[in-house]
PDB file of all heavy atoms in Angstrom:
ATOM      1  N   VAL A  32      10.159 -32.922  56.135  1.00 97.00           N
ATOM      2  CA  VAL A  32      10.116 -34.239  55.556  1.00 97.00           C
ATOM      3  C   VAL A  32       8.828 -34.232  54.646  1.00 97.00           C
ATOM      4  O   VAL A  32       7.746 -34.035  55.155  1.00 97.00           O
ATOM      5  CB  VAL A  32      10.009 -35.383  56.590  1.00 97.00           C
ATOM      6  CG1 VAL A  32       9.899 -36.730  55.908  1.00 97.00           C
ATOM      7  CG2 VAL A  32      11.272 -35.331  57.454  1.00 97.00           C
ATOM      8  N   LEU A  52       7.468 -38.902  63.392  1.00 98.00           N
ATOM      9  CA  LEU A  52       8.596 -38.068  63.080  1.00 98.00           C
ATOM     10  C   LEU A  52       8.352 -36.627  63.564  1.00 98.00           C
ATOM     11  O   LEU A  52       9.305 -35.953  64.047  1.00 98.00           O
ATOM     12  CB  LEU A  52       8.820 -38.023  61.548  1.00 98.00           C
ATOM     13  CG  LEU A  52       9.817 -39.019  60.990  1.00 98.00           C
ATOM     14  CD1 LEU A  52       9.523 -40.481  61.338  1.00 98.00           C
ATOM     15  CD2 LEU A  52       9.992 -38.802  59.504  1.00 98.00           C
ATOM     16  N   TYR A  57      10.252 -32.749  63.676  1.00 96.00           N
ATOM     17  CA  TYR A  57      10.365 -32.589  62.175  1.00 96.00           C
ATOM     18  C   TYR A  57       9.016 -32.127  61.672  1.00 96.00           C
ATOM     19  O   TYR A  57       7.969 -32.523  62.178  1.00 96.00           O
ATOM     20  CB  TYR A  57      10.844 -33.894  61.549  1.00 96.00           C
ATOM     21  CG  TYR A  57      12.269 -34.143  61.745  1.00 96.00           C
ATOM     22  CD1 TYR A  57      12.714 -34.901  62.850  1.00 96.00           C
ATOM     23  CD2 TYR A  57      13.232 -33.668  60.864  1.00 96.00           C
ATOM     24  CE1 TYR A  57      14.044 -35.163  63.034  1.00 96.00           C
ATOM     25  CE2 TYR A  57      14.590 -33.884  61.096  1.00 96.00           C
ATOM     26  CZ  TYR A  57      14.968 -34.592  62.124  1.00 96.00           C
ATOM     27  OH  TYR A  57      16.326 -34.829  62.372  1.00 96.00           O
ATOM     28  N   PRO A  95      17.253 -29.650  57.136  1.00 93.00           N
ATOM     29  CA  PRO A  95      17.311 -30.113  55.775  1.00 93.00           C
ATOM     30  C   PRO A  95      15.953 -30.626  55.252  1.00 93.00           C
ATOM     31  O   PRO A  95      15.060 -30.937  55.973  1.00 93.00           O
ATOM     32  CB  PRO A  95      18.251 -31.387  55.879  1.00 93.00           C
ATOM     33  CG  PRO A  95      17.982 -31.856  57.291  1.00 93.00           C
ATOM     34  CD  PRO A  95      17.838 -30.664  58.101  1.00 93.00           C
ATOM     35  N   VAL A  97      13.982 -33.349  53.235  1.00 97.00           N
ATOM     36  CA  VAL A  97      14.182 -34.753  52.923  1.00 97.00           C
ATOM     37  C   VAL A  97      12.921 -35.353  52.265  1.00 97.00           C
ATOM     38  O   VAL A  97      11.790 -35.079  52.798  1.00 97.00           O
ATOM     39  CB  VAL A  97      14.492 -35.583  54.209  1.00 97.00           C
ATOM     40  CG1 VAL A  97      14.711 -37.043  53.938  1.00 97.00           C
ATOM     41  CG2 VAL A  97      15.783 -34.966  54.885  1.00 97.00           C
ATOM     42  N   VAL A  99      10.804 -38.617  51.377  1.00 98.00           N
ATOM     43  CA  VAL A  99      10.575 -39.988  51.706  1.00 98.00           C
ATOM     44  C   VAL A  99       9.614 -40.613  50.766  1.00 98.00           C
ATOM     45  O   VAL A  99       8.423 -40.219  50.625  1.00 98.00           O
ATOM     46  CB  VAL A  99      10.024 -40.174  53.201  1.00 98.00           C
ATOM     47  CG1 VAL A  99       9.765 -41.657  53.455  1.00 98.00           C
ATOM     48  CG2 VAL A  99      10.928 -39.579  54.203  1.00 98.00           C
ATOM     49  N   ALA A 122      18.409 -34.864  51.148  1.00 96.00           N
ATOM     50  CA  ALA A 122      18.608 -36.318  51.329  1.00 96.00           C
ATOM     51  C   ALA A 122      17.224 -36.994  50.938  1.00 96.00           C
ATOM     52  O   ALA A 122      16.257 -36.306  50.793  1.00 96.00           O
ATOM     53  CB  ALA A 122      18.946 -36.647  52.758  1.00 96.00           C
ATOM     54  N   VAL A 124      14.812 -40.804  51.448  1.00 98.00           N
ATOM     55  CA  VAL A 124      14.636 -42.076  52.006  1.00 98.00           C
ATOM     56  C   VAL A 124      13.748 -42.881  51.047  1.00 98.00           C
ATOM     57  O   VAL A 124      12.668 -42.447  50.667  1.00 98.00           O
ATOM     58  CB  VAL A 124      13.861 -41.953  53.389  1.00 98.00           C
ATOM     59  CG1 VAL A 124      13.600 -43.393  53.932  1.00 98.00           C
ATOM     60  CG2 VAL A 124      14.723 -41.225  54.358  1.00 98.00           C
ATOM     61  N   GLU A 239      15.007 -45.669  62.847  1.00 96.00           N
ATOM     62  CA  GLU A 239      16.073 -45.681  61.855  1.00 96.00           C
ATOM     63  C   GLU A 239      16.072 -44.454  60.997  1.00 96.00           C
ATOM     64  O   GLU A 239      17.104 -43.860  60.614  1.00 96.00           O
ATOM     65  CB  GLU A 239      16.033 -46.964  61.046  1.00 96.00           C
ATOM     66  CG  GLU A 239      17.008 -47.107  59.856  1.00 96.00           C
ATOM     67  CD  GLU A 239      18.401 -47.432  60.370  1.00 96.00           C
ATOM     68  OE1 GLU A 239      18.678 -47.492  61.558  1.00 96.00           O
ATOM     69  OE2 GLU A 239      19.342 -47.541  59.476  1.00 96.00           O
ATOM     70  N   VAL A 240      14.865 -44.034  60.579  1.00 97.00           N
ATOM     71  CA  VAL A 240      14.718 -42.873  59.784  1.00 97.00           C
ATOM     72  C   VAL A 240      15.210 -41.648  60.510  1.00 97.00           C
ATOM     73  O   VAL A 240      15.963 -40.778  59.999  1.00 97.00           O
ATOM     74  CB  VAL A 240      13.273 -42.691  59.246  1.00 97.00           C
ATOM     75  CG1 VAL A 240      13.076 -41.373  58.572  1.00 97.00           C
ATOM     76  CG2 VAL A 240      12.854 -43.812  58.328  1.00 97.00           C
ATOM     77  N   VAL A 241      14.769 -41.503  61.753  1.00 96.00           N
ATOM     78  CA  VAL A 241      15.232 -40.345  62.541  1.00 96.00           C
ATOM     79  C   VAL A 241      16.770 -40.393  62.771  1.00 96.00           C
ATOM     80  O   VAL A 241      17.404 -39.316  62.696  1.00 96.00           O
ATOM     81  CB  VAL A 241      14.469 -40.320  63.982  1.00 96.00           C
ATOM     82  CG1 VAL A 241      15.112 -39.311  64.858  1.00 96.00           C
ATOM     83  CG2 VAL A 241      13.013 -40.075  63.732  1.00 96.00           C
ATOM     84  N   THR A 242      17.315 -41.529  63.001  1.00 95.00           N
ATOM     85  CA  THR A 242      18.756 -41.628  63.097  1.00 95.00           C
ATOM     86  C   THR A 242      19.431 -41.193  61.928  1.00 95.00           C
ATOM     87  O   THR A 242      20.469 -40.378  61.933  1.00 95.00           O
ATOM     88  CB  THR A 242      19.180 -43.096  63.411  1.00 95.00           C
ATOM     89  OG1 THR A 242      18.620 -43.530  64.655  1.00 95.00           O
ATOM     90  CG2 THR A 242      20.701 -43.259  63.468  1.00 95.00           C
ATOM     91  N   PHE A 243      18.938 -41.552  60.676  1.00 96.00           N
ATOM     92  CA  PHE A 243      19.462 -41.047  59.429  1.00 96.00           C
ATOM     93  C   PHE A 243      19.353 -39.569  59.304  1.00 96.00           C
ATOM     94  O   PHE A 243      20.291 -38.881  58.941  1.00 96.00           O
ATOM     95  CB  PHE A 243      18.782 -41.779  58.278  1.00 96.00           C
ATOM     96  CG  PHE A 243      19.097 -41.257  56.916  1.00 96.00           C
ATOM     97  CD1 PHE A 243      20.333 -41.485  56.374  1.00 96.00           C
ATOM     98  CD2 PHE A 243      18.163 -40.492  56.168  1.00 96.00           C
ATOM     99  CE1 PHE A 243      20.651 -41.020  55.111  1.00 96.00           C
ATOM    100  CE2 PHE A 243      18.466 -40.045  54.885  1.00 96.00           C
ATOM    101  CZ  PHE A 243      19.725 -40.301  54.360  1.00 96.00           C
ATOM    102  N   LEU A 244      18.167 -39.029  59.644  1.00 96.00           N
ATOM    103  CA  LEU A 244      18.009 -37.551  59.576  1.00 96.00           C
ATOM    104  C   LEU A 244      18.968 -36.836  60.487  1.00 96.00           C
ATOM    105  O   LEU A 244      19.506 -35.752  60.092  1.00 96.00           O
ATOM    106  CB  LEU A 244      16.513 -37.231  60.027  1.00 96.00           C
ATOM    107  CG  LEU A 244      15.466 -37.802  59.155  1.00 96.00           C
ATOM    108  CD1 LEU A 244      14.056 -37.412  59.720  1.00 96.00           C
ATOM    109  CD2 LEU A 244      15.521 -37.258  57.678  1.00 96.00           C
ATOM    110  N   GLU A 245      19.219 -37.359  61.635  1.00 94.00           N
ATOM    111  CA  GLU A 245      20.100 -36.735  62.625  1.00 94.00           C
ATOM    112  C   GLU A 245      21.561 -36.767  62.083  1.00 94.00           C
ATOM    113  O   GLU A 245      22.387 -35.861  62.323  1.00 94.00           O
ATOM    114  CB  GLU A 245      20.021 -37.359  63.983  1.00 94.00           C
ATOM    115  CG  GLU A 245      18.669 -37.101  64.681  1.00 94.00           C
ATOM    116  CD  GLU A 245      18.444 -35.622  64.930  1.00 94.00           C
ATOM    117  OE1 GLU A 245      19.351 -34.945  65.533  1.00 94.00           O
ATOM    118  OE2 GLU A 245      17.381 -35.116  64.539  1.00 94.00           O
ATOM    119  N   THR A 246      21.959 -37.833  61.318  1.00 93.00           N
ATOM    120  CA  THR A 246      23.316 -37.906  60.824  1.00 93.00           C
ATOM    121  C   THR A 246      23.624 -36.841  59.798  1.00 93.00           C
ATOM    122  O   THR A 246      24.744 -36.589  59.418  1.00 93.00           O
ATOM    123  CB  THR A 246      23.667 -39.300  60.276  1.00 93.00           C
ATOM    124  OG1 THR A 246      22.899 -39.531  59.113  1.00 93.00           O
ATOM    125  CG2 THR A 246      23.412 -40.363  61.323  1.00 93.00           C
ATOM    126  N   LEU A 247      22.536 -36.291  59.166  1.00 92.00           N
ATOM    127  CA  LEU A 247      22.725 -35.337  58.148  1.00 92.00           C
ATOM    128  C   LEU A 247      23.492 -34.096  58.654  1.00 92.00           C
ATOM    129  O   LEU A 247      24.091 -33.317  57.887  1.00 92.00           O
ATOM    130  CB  LEU A 247      21.379 -34.893  57.533  1.00 92.00           C
ATOM    131  CG  LEU A 247      20.539 -36.002  56.807  1.00 92.00           C
ATOM    132  CD1 LEU A 247      19.265 -35.414  56.318  1.00 92.00           C
ATOM    133  CD2 LEU A 247      21.393 -36.565  55.667  1.00 92.00           C
ATOM    134  N   ARG A 248      23.364 -33.862  59.935  1.00 85.00           N
ATOM    135  CA  ARG A 248      24.115 -32.751  60.612  1.00 85.00           C
ATOM    136  C   ARG A 248      25.545 -33.116  61.000  1.00 85.00           C
ATOM    137  O   ARG A 248      26.268 -32.298  61.552  1.00 85.00           O
ATOM    138  CB  ARG A 248      23.325 -32.250  61.837  1.00 85.00           C
ATOM    139  CG  ARG A 248      21.950 -31.720  61.489  1.00 85.00           C
ATOM    140  CD  ARG A 248      21.232 -31.373  62.800  1.00 85.00           C
ATOM    141  NE  ARG A 248      19.943 -30.788  62.453  1.00 85.00           N
ATOM    142  CZ  ARG A 248      18.820 -31.545  62.162  1.00 85.00           C
ATOM    143  NH1 ARG A 248      18.926 -32.768  62.082  1.00 85.00           N
ATOM    144  NH2 ARG A 248      17.714 -30.867  61.853  1.00 85.00           N
TER     145      ARG A 248
END
Side-chain angles (χ1 to χ4, degrees):
V32 177
L52 266 60
Y57 285 91
V97 180
V99 177
V124 177
E239 176 71 0
V240 172
V241 171
T242 297
F243 173 71
L244 296 177
E245 292 297 308
T246 66
L247 298 178
R248 296 176 178 80

